[in-house]
Amino acid sequence: MTAPTGEDQCGDRLLAALLNGMDAALCAFDADGVVTHWNREAERVLGWSAAEAVGRRGLAGWAVRPADAAGTEARLMAAMHAPGRRVHDFALLTKDGGRVLVRTQSAAVPGPDGRPAGVYLAFGPADAQTDLERSLALSEALFSDAPWGVVLVDADLRPAVVNAHAARALGRGRAALLGRPLGEMLTEGVREVEAALTHVLAQGAPPAPADLWVTVAAPAASGDAAAAPGAASGAVPGERRCWRSGFVRLASPLTEEPTPLGVGWLFQDVTEARTTEQDAAVTRFRAAQLHRASRAAAECDSPAEAAAVHLDFALAGFADHALLDRAAGGAVPDDEETPLRLVRTATTPFGTPGGGDGADRSGLPVPYPSGHPALRCAERAGTVRVSAAAGFTRQWPQDAAHALCVPLRSRGRTLGVVTFLRGPARGPFGRHDVAHGEEVAGRVAAALDLEAALEDTAG
């Protein structure tokens, strides 16, 4: 018998190291069913050491109950003459007499001539295998059928995996998103998203989801949008959206010290719900302001003072300035064809930076140019909304960027115009703003009409 050479001994040690370093339990049988290999994971699962297992014929009486041995061994050895791998669930015996359900994969071991020379058997607890399969199934479901967006971001904050829902929300194809900076996909909210991702990488997941307002950037001309099926229906470039976002830190399970692999970002579009909540809050606040204004106006000595009180209360959370222009010569009926002239009677707030001047006691008309929004509002007795690039040319404060001109109507006549102004830091007036402005203007008009009626009575 030839003694093993150094090369053979090195190969045996390498094979032993590989077998003992495996995460799966493994044993092997020769063509006669004798155990030839038994690694440390198999010893950990069943308790039998390699010295106790190697050399035994079959599993009967030690690793399998005698009553189950024939069927178990027949199915294992059948793999020697079958193509590919076979998967079975067996109940094996531990050294201390207990039973453990394992899931096995068996396949033939070819000999030097290519003919089957034995069978290897890899196995592990069935519950652990089931957990792994559940994890894989969950991952597949998240990245195919999940009703919310899922993005796996690497340590460089670049998308590594994107599901179909997230691709539609971002308006691009899944492949087009991979490896690209978030700044190329979002024009607003990118700093907040990156800050959240960085925090999760460093500190772990936050205790609760967060609402992130973002604006999706328009796809480049390279055809990214076309690569995303249904992208047009999922994302509108330039439209502000609210994504309810949750984050989880991903760490490698294969290292002794947790190594961050990136962050899992899960989000769902809740724009409609958040917009509805915000509109409801604004409506409640404005209703409360109207109520407070009515109570304060009731204590005023004159209707003109009451009109100014209504304007003061209206500004909170609504506008930065309010200008009150009354029709020169009194109320103007709708059938009046004489050109309308407006006289500035009140400005609020007064004396603030960028604010207008106080009431003009001279009675001279405001030199509005032809076609000015205030004149158009009075002439057609309808509300006018504009965004002014150069407010000072319109006889408005220089910081005015958006205006809402509302006619003061009472008893079928136009008493003047109230103009609400916003600075460039705020958005333009919307549909709900028009309704509130018209409500305030109605109360102001009633107060001014009452003042005129009192003056006529006194006269």
Side-chain angles (χ1 to χ4, degrees), residues 336-361:
E336 179 66 50
E337 296 182 359
T338 304
L340 185 66
R341 295 178 301 161
L342 298 174
V343 178
R344 180 69 46 80
T345 58
T347 300
T348 181
F350 175 75
T352 59
D357 297 329
D360 187 354
R361 304 300 179 185

Side-chain angles (χ1 to χ4, degrees), residues 126-141:
D127 54 351
Q129 183 67 24
T130 301
D131 289 342
L132 174 61
E133 292 179 359
R134 287 196 186 105
S135 298
L136 295 175
L138 176 60
S139 299
E140 290 295 326

Side-chain angles (χ1 to χ4, degrees), residues 82-374:
R85 293 178 298 174
R86 292 195 169 189
V87 178
H88 300 286
D89 287 345
F90 296 126
L92 300 183
L93 294 178
T94 61
K95 186 176 181 180
D96 58 7
R99 299 183 71 194
V100 57
L101 182 65
V102 299
R103 177 159 296 179
T104 67
Q105 292 187 17
S106 54
V109 177
D113 57 358
R115 300 176 62 183
V119 175
Y120 80 82
L121 175 68
F123 63 92
D127 54 351
Q129 183 67 24
T130 301
D131 289 342
L132 174 61
E133 292 179 359
R134 287 196 186 105
S135 298
L136 295 175
L138 176 60
S139 299
E140 290 295 326
L142 287 176
F143 289 105
S144 57
D145 304 323
W148 51 81
V150 181
V151 180
L152 297 190
V153 183
D154 62 22
D156 294 327
L157 306 186
R158 295 173 182 254
V161 185
V162 181
N163 76 340
H165 188 100
R168 288 193 297 270
L170 293 167
R172 290 163 174 78
R174 297 174 67 177
L177 294 168
L178 304 184
R180 297 175 63 171
L182 294 175
E184 295 183 8
M185 295 169 259
L186 303 174
T187 58
E188 180 185 358
V190 63
R191 291 185 178 179
E192 290 77 3
V193 173
E194 290 182 343
L197 295 172
T198 302
H199 172 81
V200 174
L201 277 173
Q203 304 293 332
D211 287 347
L212 299 177
W213 287 89
V214 301
T215 300
V216 177
S222 58
D224 290 349
S233 61
V236 178
E239 184 179 38
R240 200 161 177 258
R241 311 298 297 177
C242 182
W243 290 349
R244 186 70 166 165
S245 302
F247 302 92
V248 291
R249 181 166 61 176
L250 307 178
S252 173
L254 303 179
T255 58
E256 294 183 4
E257 294 294 333
T259 303
L261 296 179
V263 177
W265 175 22
L266 293 82
F267 64 87
Q268 192 171 32
D269 195 315
V270 294
T271 306
E272 293 185 7
R274 295 298 177 266
T275 301
T276 300
E277 292 173 1
Q278 291 177 354
D279 290 345
V282 169
T283 300
R284 289 193 299 269
F285 175 76
R286 290 177 177 176
Q289 286 296 97
L290 291 173
H291 175 72
R292 296 188 186 100
S294 296
R295 292 178 62 87
E299 303 300 325
C300 293
D301 294 333
S302 68
E305 183 183 354
V309 165
H310 280 292
L311 290 181
D312 286 334
F313 275 90
L315 290 181
F318 179 66
D320 298 320
H321 308 290
L323 309 176
L324 181 60
D325 300 328
R326 298 182 68 172
V332 179
D334 290 345
D335 56 358
E336 179 66 50
E337 296 182 359
T338 304
L340 185 66
R341 295 178 301 161
L342 298 174
V343 178
R344 180 69 46 80
T345 58
T347 300
T348 181
F350 175 75
T352 59
D357 297 329
D360 187 354
R361 304 300 179 185
S362 68
L364 294 176
V366 182
Y368 286 132
S370 177
H372 189 277

